[in-house]
Amino acid sequence: MDPVKKLTWLNYFICLIGFVAEIIFTIKLNPHENSVFIFLIVWGTLPLVTLLLFLIKTPRLLYSMSRTLVQTSAVVGFGMIYKINSIYIHPDPRGAIALTTIPIIQTIGALFIGLVIKIASQKYYRSMTSQEELEDEDEDEYLS
């Protein structure tokens, strides 16, 4: 299996871990109404859906996929660490407010990191294109 496919599947696997963690966190909170249960799952997985959209639009090249892996790991890791802290380590009534704001912070982080990756990828591809053009010109001069 080539490295690009490995990175792609690793990104999907990290998102799957995030989805499972959201369901576990929601079950741990034990909401009494089904509508609250569904809302917490949908609200918690909103950043993961954003990451999946970035993953779908990312070109399947090693440079882009490795950067997207950093984005996915950072967003999912931050959310899981903060929710574990709010639910298991330091549970308090204000933890519910933190749990509602974490997906907002994760989504903003995913969008910001995705934008930075997009700009860096464009610069990388432009430099690669200019290097290829210079090599082509050198080959043409050498042949003539």
Side-chain angles (χ1 to χ4, degrees), residues 18-74:
F19 279 116
V20 171
E22 284 302 323
I23 292 171
I24 291 171
F25 294 144
T26 303
I27 290 171
K28 175 64 178 161
L29 290 175
N30 196 18
H32 297 292
E33 292 188 30
N34 289 337
S35 61
V36 174
F37 183 79
I38 292 170
F39 172 75
L40 287 174
I41 290 176
V42 170
W43 182 249
T45 57
L46 182 67
L48 301 172
V49 171
T50 305
L51 288 173
L52 288 174
L53 293 174
F54 269 108
L55 219 95
I56 290 169
K57 296 298 281 183
T58 301
R60 298 294 187 242
L61 299 169
L62 187 62
Y63 182 84
S64 299
M65 293 311 294
S66 62
R67 300 308 186 261
T68 305
L69 180 63
V70 171
Q71 175 191 19
T72 305
S73 301

Side-chain angles (χ1 to χ4, degrees), residues 22 44 47 75-76 78-80 83 102-110:
E22 284 302 323
V75 171
V76 172
F78 168 76
M80 288 179 64
K83 287 181 182 181
I102 292 170
I104 296 170
I105 295 169
Q106 282 179 292
T107 304
I108 292 170

Side-chain angles (χ1 to χ4, degrees), residues 11 20 22 36 40 42 59 73 86-87 102 116-118 124-127 132-134 136 139 141-142:
N11 276 313
V20 171
E22 284 302 323
V36 174
L40 287 174
V42 170
S73 301
S86 296
I87 294 173
I102 292 170
V116 169
I117 289 172
K118 179 76 171 172
Y124 176 77
Y125 295 128
R126 284 185 193 140
S127 69
E132 289 176 1
E133 288 175 359
L134 288 174
D136 289 342
E139 287 178 9
E141 289 176 7
Y142 180 72

